[in-house]
Amino acid sequence: SQQGEEDPQALSIQEGENATMNCSYKTSINNLQWYRQNSGRGLVHLILIRSNEREKHSGRLRVTLDTSKKSSSLLITASRAADTASYFCATDDNNNDMRFGAGTRLTVKP
Amino acid sequence: KAGVTQTPRYLIKTRGQQVTLSCSPISGHRSVSWYQQTPGQGLQFLFEYFSETQRNKGNFPGRFSGRQFSNSRSEMNVSTLELGDSALYLCASSLGQAYYEQYFGPGTRLTVT
């Protein structure tokens, strides 16, 4: 079963705009990760944030984590057409269960 | 370093048959995890192996099994295939715990007819 739920399910923006995706989860977690998947291929790890961290940056990516609300957001700044992909959040908990959300489909128009 | 490789990339099987999928992790990675991805259920965790031992298992029937060899290569087997087993099967490797950065292979697209 899925743990996280990404919001929105689909997002379409123009190149240069920022894209924000949200992930909510249900149980307490140890870590939350974001992955990108291009068109039915393997996933690429973007960033990991631990439960005791609140914010993390990596290049044009910014991830926040609010454990009190059981939610995380992924911000991609100055988006490019190459950012077009599906983005998934994944959580692991004390039961060592690894769960992925349903994903947000991002389309960046040139 | 070579990435995670999965073979075969595409497979068509008939209901009732069995199938074996193979995954070669990145050199030095000892953890291998398997996932099933379908449009309806999304990405679901199957199991994780570390040093030839299954460490964690998802909520899948016993028809789904796996193993890991001493060189960390892993195989996944599905017996008595059902139409609902049609999916993209992804393998991921990591250095230690599966719950840190995972490197995914391109997947095996299984179609059951």
Side-chain angles (χ1 to χ4, degrees):
Chain A
S1 61
Q2 293 174 35
Q3 155 86 305
E5 291 183 9
E6 280 91 343
D7 163 49
Q9 288 186 337
L11 180 60
S12 182
I13 59 174
Q14 294 293 135
E15 221 170 16
E17 294 181 337
N18 295 342
T20 300
M21 288 159 268
N22 302 297
C23 167
S24 60
Y25 55 91
K26 296 171 185 165
T27 62
S28 295
I29 63 170
N30 293 327
N31 306 288
L32 186 142
Q33 303 179 55
W34 284 92
Y35 287 84
R36 183 186 75 226
Q37 184 179 34
N38 289 86
S39 207
R41 302 174 71 176
L43 281 72
V44 174
H45 182 267
L46 295 176
I47 200 163
L48 179 150
I49 188 165
R50 301 186 194 284
S51 59
N52 62 354
E53 296 176 310
R54 292 296 165 258
E55 189 171 310
K56 226 169 174 181
H57 297 253
S58 176
R60 294 185 295 113
L61 307 180
R62 174 178 168 252
V63 168
T64 61
L65 178 65
D66 187 336
T67 52
S68 66
K69 294 181 180 177
K70 291 187 169 60
S71 68
S72 172
S73 68
L74 170 67
L75 168 67
I76 304 174
T77 60
S79 63
R80 306 165 182 167
D83 295 328
T84 294
S86 291
Y87 291 82
F88 295 88
C89 67
T91 58
D92 63 273
D93 59 23
N94 290 330
N95 293 324
N96 287 330
D97 285 341
M98 181 78 167
R99 296 186 184 180
F100 282 78
T104 292
R105 176 69 194 163
L106 173 66
T107 302
V108 182
K109 299 174 187 174
Chain B
K1 263 187 184 176
V4 177
T5 58
Q6 290 186 245
T7 56
R9 293 290 313 277
Y10 302 91
L11 204 49
I12 300 175
K13 289 284 188 178
T14 305
R15 262 186 310 177
Q17 288 186 316
Q18 74 164 21
V19 66
T20 299
L21 312 181
S22 180
C23 172
S24 293
I26 290 173
S27 177
H29 285 194
R30 297 170 66 188
S31 168
V32 174
S33 297
W34 287 90
Y35 297 86
Q36 181 196 65
Q37 186 175 30
T38 60
Q41 298 297 316
L43 264 160
Q44 295 192 86
F45 172 71
L46 280 155
F47 27 66
E48 185 227 351
Y49 287 87
F50 182 85
S51 292
E52 302 179 65
T53 301
Q54 186 181 89
R55 274 202 302 204
N56 293 295
K57 189 176 189 303
N59 190 23
F60 276 82
R63 298 185 299 107
F64 292 81
S65 63
R67 59 178 175 168
Q68 187 180 34
F69 301 96
S70 59
N71 62 357
S72 293
R73 191 177 69 85
S74 177
E75 286 182 349
M76 190 194 97
N77 186 74
V78 187
S79 63
T80 319
L81 284 166
E82 300 176 359
L83 294 178
D85 297 333
S86 294
L88 181 67
Y89 289 88
L90 293 162
C91 161
S93 74
S94 68
L95 276 169
Q97 293 283 349
Y99 310 115
Y100 297 105
E101 182 173 351
Q102 295 186 81
Y103 294 81
F104 281 78
T108 294
R109 173 76 62 185
L110 172 65
T111 302
V112 182
T113 60

